[in-house]
Each structure stands twice: as C-alpha cells, then as structure tokens.
C-alpha cells in the first residue's frame, strides 16, 4: 500500500446487510427471560423504582441497597413505565445503548481511518462474543460501552487538527486529519462537543463509578503525549470538562446523600454511619481495586489475558495480533527505527490502560472488559485492513476455521441438550451456514467478516432462541411466579419469600419477585415469620432445604408445588445432558405455612 492509495471500502450492500444481521444477532437477546443472579436482582430494583415512583432510593430484598449507581436503573424504570414490567422492557435500553456504542465506534474510526476500517470495526463489535452475550444477560456493560466511546468521540473532536504523515509504503494512511468540532476555534471551549462529552462522562460515572475516567481519559492523554501535543494537558477546556462531568454526576450524589448520608442510623454492610457518597467515590471502586472494601474478590493478574481469548471470539486472535503490531510500531518509534506514528493512540491507550487496571484489581469478572470492546474493535479492524493480500488470504482461512469450529460447537450443543424444536434448530444451522458459504467465497475482507458474522448468527440464534429457553426453565423463581400467575385462587395472595440471613442473598428469589404479578415480600428470620403467622397461614416460596427446616423447627407446612433450580449462569456438562441433569437440580418449594 502506498501513500497515495486507500483500501477499498466493503461494498455498501454487503456492509448494510451484515450490519443488519449483526443487529438481529444482538436483538435475539431480548427474547430469553432475565437471567439470574445479577440481571434478576437489577430488574427487581428497577421494578420497585417504577412501581413506587421513587427514583431517589434503591431497594433490594426490601431494604436499602448500596452497590451500583442509579443510571441504568433510571433507564430501565422509564422503560417499564413505557412498555410495562416485562423482559423486553428490561433489556431494550441496554440494547439501545449498545447500538449507540456501535454508531459512535463507526464515527470515531471515520475521523481517523479509511472507511473500510470503520466498517470492519462495526462488524467486529456487533459480533464479539461477550458483547452479544451482554445483551441477553444484561448488566451495566452495554450502557457503559455506548457512554464511554461516545464521550471519547466528542472529546476527540476538541483536539486540534494534527496531521500524521506516513512514509510511502508504510501502514495505513489516515483518511484525513483529525476533524475538530465545528465549534472549535483553536483557543475555543468546544461548545456542543464539550457539553456532550461531559454529559456522557457524567452518565458513565452514574453507571459504574470513577474508574470510567480511565478508559475515557487514558487514551486521549497517551495520544497527546506520543504526538507531541502535551500542551493539551494545560488547556483550560479539559479542566472545564472534568468539572462539568462531575456536575452532571450531581443527581447520583444527591440520591446517595438523601438515602444514606442523611440517615447514619441505617445498617449497611453490617455497619451504621455508612456514607453513600464515600462508597460511590472510594469504596465501590478503589475498595474493590485494593480489595479493602465491603465487597471483595480474588484477583488473578492473568485473568483477562485468557478471558479475552474467549470473550472476544471470533476476533480474539486478530485483536492480539493488532495490539502486538501497534506496540511494536510504538517501540520502533522510540528506538529510532521508524518515524511512522499510528493514526491514533486512543484505542491502544484506553484499551491497554483499562486491561491493566482490571488485571491488577482484586475484583474481576469476565464482563468487565466489555466496556473497551469499541477500542478493541478498532485495533482489530486496523490490523486486518492493513494486511497484505497474501496475509489476508491466510487470515481468512484461519478465521474461517474458527467460524467452522463455532458451527460444529453449536451442532454439538444441540445434540447434547436436545432442546424443544430440535429439528428447527438444526435447520437454522444448515440454512445460515450454507447461505454464508454460498455468498462469501473470496479470500477478502468481505468474506472474512461475512463468514464470522454468519457463524455468530448460527451460534447466538441457537443459544438465545433454543438453548437459553430450555435452560432458563430451571430458574425456579421464574417458573414458580408463572405458576402462581396462572392460578386464579393464588395470583392475588401475598407470597412471602423466606430467605434467612442478611444482605441481598441469592438463589432464585429475585426472579420470583420480578415475574410475580401479585404482591411479594421477604421474611428473613423465624421470629419475623411467626409474626406474619399471627394473622393466619401464609404463602411461602423458599428453597427445599429451608422448607424442611421449617417443619423441624415447629412450623406447619403444606407443599403446593415444587420447582427444580440450577444456576444457569454457571453451566456444567452434567446439566447440559438431559440424562444427567436431574442430579444437578435443587428443589424450591411453594407452600402454605402455618403455626403448629
């Protein structure tokens, strides 16, 4: 590739078709029921907010809840107001923010790269495994994905134009110099982009906390330092952006102050005098990082190295290759072996800084890295577009093998699980696979992206439309709630969720609370249960072992129905196989409890 040539964009009709397929792949996540444990818990919190019209206080299991900030719950509660309290309304806002992240990824890449890089980045982001999974098992990450890349896009447009010349025959030529905001006047403040970037940053802070400043700010700072624009750090507009970002966070601070700081008598994490504001700015973030807060985990410094290998499938190998190539180019610049800069260092800086931060943290979960998938997608796309024709053919073959293995894995899961509509599922695999092979035959970027998009359509079409519906019937609380909802003599009776102990608990109680249309409440001790029984027998939903213990402790119990339970978020081989599944199940019981 010479300085005067640009790689050709993907044909518009193919790109539009693949984007539509990618959106549909993610939209299939709207259909499976809400997954336990976290998704069901968050859905219950938003349900309480919507039903009570209390958008200030967060409650879980009938008591004050201090963990995640408010923004996602506000979005879901508003969705519940519009569409009713149901699965679709819970998941729709997350999908919209995810698609906002896809759009911003395209816009950001178009500022700096040829069109084809932006196109490939969009397709990578739409089909990366854990990104798609996050639209079925919804937590905070789809919101953060859109908010973070959106904030970076608007802040980037405040950066003065800085042409990045390339030597003839080396690497990707930027499609044009950085496009500043139309309000940018050299020494100006940035106008709309400054406000939008700060607003999105504030929303991100109200979604996850202060650590979101790392993926938003680290890449920008690294780019300025590596391109000699270090004076940007002295520009007043960036300090105004920081102030505005925290101004837009004031609704969260106000809510925490009202619920916790004004009420030091409340018992939170087993203590009184807990400051919600301190927890938001310190314990929820730095406390987890140093593992000194009330919520602890076990950190593994290599956790995200091997987790990303499967979480970013089927693009993890070109991602690692792209990151390695970018780091080597940077090393060559520092050693004087090359004067060629990258078109931008934001993607590399934000991606690696966040990767390092979470790797050093004492609290780690696989979905944490989803928030920087837009940057990973750009790095992956930059690498693939920059390949020579010979190497592109090799990568097309290699990635096609991964696509084929995904299809084989999908067929294997169908044969093992044997879900309802098994013949239809096999038909889906056959039709999509054959259509993909017929349409994409050449060793080029269209074929590479088309085959992998097809493979993910096969996998997630089966997972979300056939397998998850089969698995999620073992969320005992959900199936019990549906059972009660269908019984005219039970549906309006209060059901007490017997969950002994303190804290938010776990198990399958949250899905019952969410899906039940009748009144529900928690009872956490025998003394509280006896108090409820003073007015007569009550309906109780609880684990089988708790039900047995009630009988041994002097309560009368008449079982009405039992429901098998399994933690679907942690699948095992024995559970997948219908023949061995029964031994993995635990019973939950709906019963009438009375004083003996």
């Amino acid at each position: 590739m010479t300085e005067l040539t640009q790689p050709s964009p993907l044909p518009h009709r193919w790109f539009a078709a693949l984007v539509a397929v990618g959106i549909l792949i993610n939209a299939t996540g709207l259909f499976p029921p809400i997954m336990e444990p976290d998704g069901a818990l968050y859905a219950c919190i938003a349900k309480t907010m919507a039903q009570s019209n209390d958008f200030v206080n967060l409650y879980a299991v009938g008591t004050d809840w201090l963990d995640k900030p408010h923004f996602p719950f506000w979005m879901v509660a508003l969705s519940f107001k519009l569409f009713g309290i149901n699965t679709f309304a819970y998941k729709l806002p997350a999908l919209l923010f995810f698609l906002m992240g896809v759009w911003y990824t395209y816009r950001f890449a178009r500022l700096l790269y040829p069109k084809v890089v932006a196109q490939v980045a969009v397709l990578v982001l739409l089909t990366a495994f854990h990104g798609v999974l996050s639209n079925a098992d919804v937590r905070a990450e789809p919101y953060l994905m859109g908010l973070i890349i959106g904030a970076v896009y608007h802040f980037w447009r405040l950066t003065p134009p800085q042409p990045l010349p390339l030597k003839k025959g080396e690497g990707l030529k930027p499609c044009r110099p950085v496009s500043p905001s139309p309000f940018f006047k050299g020494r100006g403040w940035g106008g709309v982009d400054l406000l939008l970037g700060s607003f999105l940053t504030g929303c991100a802070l109200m979604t996850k906390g202060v650590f979101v400043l790392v993926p938003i700010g680290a890449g920008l700072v690294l780019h300025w330092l590596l391109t000699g624009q270090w004076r940007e750090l002295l520009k007043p507009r960036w300090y105004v952006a920081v102030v505005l970002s925290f101004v837009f966070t004031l609704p969260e601070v106000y809510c925490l102050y009202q619920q916790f700081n004004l009420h030091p008598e409340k018992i939170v994490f087993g203590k009184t005098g807990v400051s919600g504001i301190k927890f938001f700015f310190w314990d929820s973030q730095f406390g987890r990082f140093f593992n000194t807060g009330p919520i602890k985990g076990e950190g593994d410094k290599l956790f995200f190295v091997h987790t990303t290998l499967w979480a970013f499938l089927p693009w993890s190998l070109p991602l690692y290759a792209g990151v390695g190539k970018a780091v080597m180019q940077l090393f060559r610049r520092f050693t004087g072996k090359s004067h060629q800069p990258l078109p931008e260092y934001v993607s590399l800086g934000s991606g690696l800084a966040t990767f390092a931060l979470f790797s050093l943290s004492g609290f780690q979960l696989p979905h944490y890295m989803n928030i920087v998938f837009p940057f990973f997608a750009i790095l992956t796309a930059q690498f693939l577009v920059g390949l020579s024709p010979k190497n592109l053919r090799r990568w097309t073959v290699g990635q096609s093998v991964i696509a084929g293995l995904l299809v084989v894995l999908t067929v294997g899961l169908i044969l093992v699980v044997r879900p309802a509509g098994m013949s239809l599922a096999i038909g889906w695999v056959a039709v999509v696979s054959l259509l993909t092979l017929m349409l994409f035959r050449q060793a080029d970027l269209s074929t590479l992206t088309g085959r992998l998009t097809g493979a993910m359509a096969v996998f997630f079409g089966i997972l979300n439309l056939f397998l998850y519906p089969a698995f999620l019937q073992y969320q005992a609380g959900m199936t019990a709630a549906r059972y009660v909802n269908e019984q005219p003599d039970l549906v309006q009776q209060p059901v007490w969720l017997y969950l002994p102990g303190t804290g938010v608990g776990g198990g399958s109680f949250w899905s019952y609370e969410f899906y039940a249309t009748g009144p529900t409440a928690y009872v956490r001790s025998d003394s509280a249960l006896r108090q409820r029984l003073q007015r007569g027998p009550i309906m109780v939903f609880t684990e089988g072992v708790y039900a047995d213990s009630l009988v041994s402790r002097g309560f009368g119990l008449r079982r009405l129905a039992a429901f098998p339970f399994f933690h679907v978020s942690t699948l095992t081989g024995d559970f997948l196989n219908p023949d061995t599944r029964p031994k993995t199940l635990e019973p939950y019981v709906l019963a009438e409890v009375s004083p003996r």
Side-chain angles (χ1 to χ4, degrees):
M1 187 188 305
T2 69
E3 185 180 4
L4 299 177
T5 62
Q6 293 285 344
S8 299
L10 301 178
H12 177 73
R13 70 179 187 279
W14 288 120
F15 175 64
L18 291 175
V19 168
V21 171
I23 293 173
L24 288 174
I25 292 171
N26 288 275
T28 60
L30 295 171
F31 299 104
I34 298 171
M35 193 180 301
E36 297 169 336
D38 290 354
L41 172 62
Y42 301 159
C44 289
I45 294 170
K47 177 183 178 180
T48 301
M49 179 181 286
Q51 290 180 330
S52 66
N53 290 313
D54 181 357
F55 285 75
V56 173
N57 300 289
L58 296 181
Y59 296 106
V61 193
T63 190
D64 296 281
W65 190 74
L66 180 62
D67 187 5
K68 301 293 187 295
H70 284 63
F71 185 79
F73 304 112
W74 287 333
M75 297 299 101
V76 175
L78 291 175
S79 182
F80 285 162
K81 291 287 189 181
L82 290 173
F83 303 107
I85 296 174
N86 53 64
T87 299
F88 173 84
Y90 173 73
K91 295 184 179 183
L92 180 63
L95 178 63
L96 295 178
F97 273 87
F98 171 82
L99 295 178
M100 182 179 83
V102 173
W103 185 81
Y104 270 124
T105 299
Y106 181 85
R107 298 307 308 166
F108 179 69
R110 284 294 286 131
L111 291 176
L112 295 150
Y113 296 98
K115 183 177 181 179
V116 65
V117 174
Q119 290 175 319
V120 174
V122 162
L123 297 176
V124 170
L125 186 57
L126 281 169
T127 54
F129 178 83
H130 221 293
V132 183
L133 188 64
S134 70
N135 287 309
D137 184 13
V138 173
R139 309 182 200 197
E141 280 61 39
Y143 296 91
L144 288 171
M145 192 181 296
L147 294 170
I148 288 172
I149 186 62
V152 170
Y153 168 80
H154 288 291
F155 285 147
W156 176 266
R157 281 166 55 85
L158 302 179
T159 303
Q162 180 71 24
L164 300 174
L166 300 179
K167 289 185 176 182
K168 184 174 180 179
E170 291 187 339
L172 285 172
K173 177 181 180 291
C175 58
R176 56 183 179 273
V178 176
S179 297
S181 166
F183 295 90
F184 179 75
K185 303 296 182 183
R187 296 182 181 180
W189 294 93
V192 172
D193 281 301
L194 182 67
L195 287 173
L196 286 176
S198 302
F199 174 72
L200 294 175
T201 301
C203 292
L205 285 163
M206 293 190 293
T207 299
K208 196 68 173 179
V210 293
F211 272 9
V212 301
L213 298 178
V214 172
I216 292 174
L220 291 167
V221 172
L222 182 67
H223 180 85
W224 296 334
L225 295 177
L226 294 178
T227 56
Q229 294 177 280
W230 60 268
R231 289 183 179 84
E232 280 296 306
L233 294 169
L234 307 178
K235 300 292 178 64
R237 61 175 166 268
W238 301 115
Y239 299 95
V240 172
V242 171
V243 171
L244 283 176
S245 297
F246 283 100
V247 167
F248 286 122
T249 313
L250 287 178
E252 177 67 30
V253 175
Y254 170 80
C255 292
L256 293 170
Y257 180 78
Q258 289 291 320
Q259 186 170 5
F260 297 102
N261 290 65
L262 280 180
H263 299 280
E265 75 281 0
K266 290 184 175 181
I267 299 175
V268 183
F269 303 125
K271 301 178 181 178
T272 57
V274 173
S275 167
I277 296 174
K278 176 179 177 290
F279 179 85
F280 174 66
F281 284 108
W282 183 263
D283 290 331
S284 68
Q285 305 293 296
F286 296 97
R288 289 191 177 189
F289 181 80
F290 295 112
N291 221 24
T292 58
I295 301 175
K296 293 180 171 62
E298 297 181 3
D300 173 6
K301 301 302 184 289
L302 297 178
F303 177 82
F304 289 107
V305 174
H306 53 77
T307 296
T308 305
L309 279 173
W310 63 263
F312 205 65
L313 280 173
W315 306 99
S316 48
L317 294 182
L319 166 66
Y320 279 17
V323 171
K325 180 180 178 181
V327 171
M328 285 303 300
Q329 285 181 267
L330 188 58
F331 178 77
R332 287 171 59 84
R333 282 195 66 202
F334 274 109
T335 57
K337 296 179 180 179
S338 172
H339 299 287
Q340 175 194 355
L342 295 175
E344 50 89 14
Y345 292 99
V346 177
S347 300
L348 184 66
S350 292
L352 291 186
T354 306
F355 191 96
L357 178 71
F358 288 151
S359 294
L360 295 174
S361 171
F363 198 90
Q364 300 167 338
L365 291 170
H367 56 268
Y368 279 9
M369 291 308 303
N370 289 28
I371 65 177
V372 289
F373 274 15
F375 305 113
F376 285 175
I378 292 172
L379 290 167
T380 303
Q382 180 190 8
F383 170 76
L384 291 173
V385 173
L387 291 172
S388 66
K390 181 179 179 180
N391 286 332
L392 179 58
R393 285 193 295 272
R394 292 173 176 172
W395 274 96
T396 301
V397 171
Q399 291 297 101
S400 297
V401 170
I402 292 176
L405 292 175
L406 281 171
V407 172
V408 171
L409 173 64
T410 305
V411 173
L413 285 172
I414 295 172
L415 296 177
V416 169
V417 176
R418 304 195 291 274
M422 184 173 172
S423 58
L424 184 61
I426 293 293
W428 171 264
V429 174
V431 170
V432 176
S433 299
L434 290 175
L435 190 62
T436 301
L437 291 174
M438 290 173 59
L439 293 176
F440 301 101
R441 301 181 179 183
Q442 306 299 319
D444 55 18
L445 278 175
S446 294
T447 293
L448 192 153
T449 54
R451 288 179 179 175
L452 293 184
T453 300
M456 297 306 281
V458 167
F459 183 82
F460 276 100
I462 297 302
L463 183 66
N464 287 335
L465 302 180
F466 294 91
L467 299 184
Y468 271 152
F471 299 154
L472 294 175
Q473 64 178 313
Y474 295 100
Q475 292 191 157
M478 181 190 72
T479 53
R482 290 176 175 174
Y483 170 82
V484 172
N485 293 343
E486 295 170 357
Q487 306 297 316
D489 57 330
L490 298 179
V491 64
Q492 292 305 320
Q493 292 189 35
V495 174
W496 295 89
L497 307 177
Y498 181 64
L499 177 60
T502 60
V504 293
S508 203
F509 295 95
W510 301 325
S511 65
Y512 186 96
E513 180 185 356
F514 179 77
Y515 283 104
T517 58
T520 62
Y522 286 84
V523 58
R524 308 302 302 273
S525 66
D526 286 0
S527 59
L529 183 59
R530 288 191 175 91
Q531 185 177 2
R532 303 291 181 269
L533 290 173
Q534 291 177 1
R535 298 180 181 179
I538 61 174
M539 294 278 295
V540 168
F541 177 73
T542 190
E543 294 183 42
V545 292
Y546 290 155
D548 294 336
S549 68
L550 285 174
V551 175
S552 65
R553 294 201 305 278
F555 293 93
L557 185 136
R558 181 169 67 91
R559 297 172 185 256
L560 302 178
F563 307 91
F565 168 74
F566 184 82
H567 278 286
V568 178
S569 59
T570 56
L571 297 174
T572 65
D574 284 342
F575 174 77
L576 292 176
N577 187 344
D579 297 330
T580 57
R581 187 176 299 158
K583 69 179 183 181
T584 69
L585 304 177
E586 303 171 5
Y588 273 68
V589 174
L590 180 69
E592 181 184 79
V593 175
S594 59
R596 187 184 298 177

